[in-house]
Amino acid sequence: VRNTKDYIILAVYEFIGTAILALAMNFSAGRPDIMASGIFVAIILTFKISGSHFNAGISLGIYILNGKWKSQYLILLTYIGA
């Protein structure tokens, strides 16, 4: 992440991934194969840009355990905001 535009792109990709995940949950009608397919599609589409952190709790845990939250707090806020 080098500038403000990169933060916006990161937030958009996280939003898209979360939207795909929400659609998969809503339209799966309890079928785990459809849910898994939705998660797979969301991960494949967004992992190169955002790391596929669709859950802010996962992002927070990773950043705290790796000690990156002090130096990369803006990325963490972007994940949580998206």
Side-chain angles (χ1 to χ4, degrees):
V1 178
R2 289 174 244 141
N3 55 34
T4 305
K5 182 181 174 186
D6 291 344
Y7 286 109
I8 293 169
I9 291 171
L10 181 66
V12 167
Y13 270 80
E14 281 300 304
F15 179 79
I16 290 169
T18 304
I20 292 170
L21 189 61
L23 286 171
M25 285 192 293
N26 287 328
F27 290 111
S28 67
R31 292 185 52 198
D33 56 335
I34 294 175
M35 185 62 200
S37 298
I39 293 170
F40 178 74
V41 168
I43 289 171
I44 293 299
L45 290 176
T46 63
F47 80 97
K48 284 187 179 181
I49 302 296
S50 69
S52 299
H53 294 194
F54 304 128
N55 184 338
I58 292 172
S59 301
L60 182 62
I62 288 172
Y63 276 87
I64 289 173
L65 289 176
N66 291 336
K68 293 182 178 180
W69 66 275
K70 294 176 186 175
S71 63
Q72 297 180 356
Y73 66 92
L74 288 176
I75 294 175
L76 183 61
L77 292 175
T78 302
Y79 284 141
I80 293 170

